[in-house]
Amino acid sequence: GEDVEQSLFLSVREGDSSVINCTYTDSSSTYLYWYKQEPGAGLQLLTYIFSNMDMKQDQRLTVLLNKKDKHLSLRIADTQTGDSAIYFCAELGGSYIPTFGRGTSLIVHP
Amino acid sequence: EAQVTQNPRYLITVTGKKLTVTCSQNMNHEYMSWYRQDPGLGLRQIYYSMNVEVTDKGDVPEGYKVSRKEKRNFPLILESPSPNQTSLYFCASSRQGTNYGYTFGSGTRLTVV
């Protein structure tokens, strides 16, 4: 089946930029998503990008998509302690059933 | 407020005692799904439903049942729970075939002893 891969952990200093990477295998992906899960809570949709776009920016968040390499990244500028969470990459292909990555735990330290 | 509501939030039960986790959404979404989340394994899909009376197995359906008799409700049934079903469970819903992404419930932490 289709697969979505992301690294499990990322540690950054407060104020630095964070970059969370994701790779996927489904060449028919139409939408790609980033979700955020705070401790004790469900997943919340952060942002999404359509497969014919290269970049999307929303305040401190920048999503980059390299469709040729099937690589998606989420950049968080000026990372704050409140950004500490698990970030999930997900893709939606022709089946309309999303495939999620395992999640990247972002740890922000002072 | 648009939301997915799961109940209960926490549940401790004994092996073999049937239980149901309820899920309800108020957004008139066609698509609903159940996931379990385990450390290091991420989210794994248990069952999903494209619409009323239409359900399909996900990646890990063994030991679970679902039903979709009404559009808003999608209960998860464990007929005979076992300790390996101890996990954090999430229900999610979305409009079918759109870019809106998924709305998740707050989760149900189940412990089977």
Side-chain angles (χ1 to χ4, degrees), chain A:
Chain A
E2 305 305 339
D3 201 16
V4 176
E5 296 283 343
Q6 37 181 148
S7 54
L8 292 182
F9 298 99
L10 176 65
S11 178
V12 300
R13 186 170 295 178
E14 191 174 15
D16 288 350
S17 291
S18 307
V19 179
I20 303 171
N21 294 302
C22 169
T23 57
Y24 60 97
T25 58
D26 188 353
S27 57
S28 66
S29 292
T30 51
Y31 292 99
L32 296 118
Y33 306 88
W34 284 104
Y35 287 83
K36 178 182 181 182
Q37 184 184 28
E38 296 184 353
L43 280 70
Q44 285 186 299
L45 180 65
L46 263 185
T47 186
Y48 68 91
I49 188 168
F50 188 47
S51 59
N52 68 353
M53 296 168 65
D54 297 324
M55 186 182 88
K56 181 177 181 181
Q57 188 150 4
D58 183 2
Q59 299 182 332
R60 293 190 297 122
L61 304 179
T62 303
V63 178
L64 294 176
L65 174 61
N66 181 327
K67 197 174 180 183
K68 175 176 169 289
D69 294 338
K70 298 190 185 69
H71 182 268
L72 182 74
S73 68
L74 173 69
R75 179 176 179 269
I76 306 173
D78 187 24
T79 312
Q80 303 298 308
T81 53
D83 294 322
S84 293
I86 303 174
Y87 291 81
F88 288 89
C89 171
E91 63 89 22
L92 189 71
S95 67
Y96 295 114
I97 298 168
T99 301
F100 286 85
R102 294 187 178 190
T104 299
S105 289
L106 175 64
I107 301 159
V108 182
H109 55 89

Side-chain angles (χ1 to χ4, degrees), chain A residues 95-98, chain B residues 30-35 45-51 53-59 61 65-68 74 76 92 96 102:
Chain A
S95 67
Y96 295 114
I97 298 168
Chain B
E30 295 85 7
Y31 179 93
M32 297 186 75
S33 183
W34 276 103
Y35 293 88
Q45 190 177 49
I46 302 170
Y47 270 95
Y48 64 95
S49 170
M50 293 289 198
N51 215 321
E53 301 292 1
V54 180
T55 62
D56 275 299
K57 295 178 181 179
D59 298 319
K65 284 174 58 177
V66 292
S67 68
R68 189 90 182 273
F74 191 45
L76 179 70
Q96 191 165 313
Y102 297 82

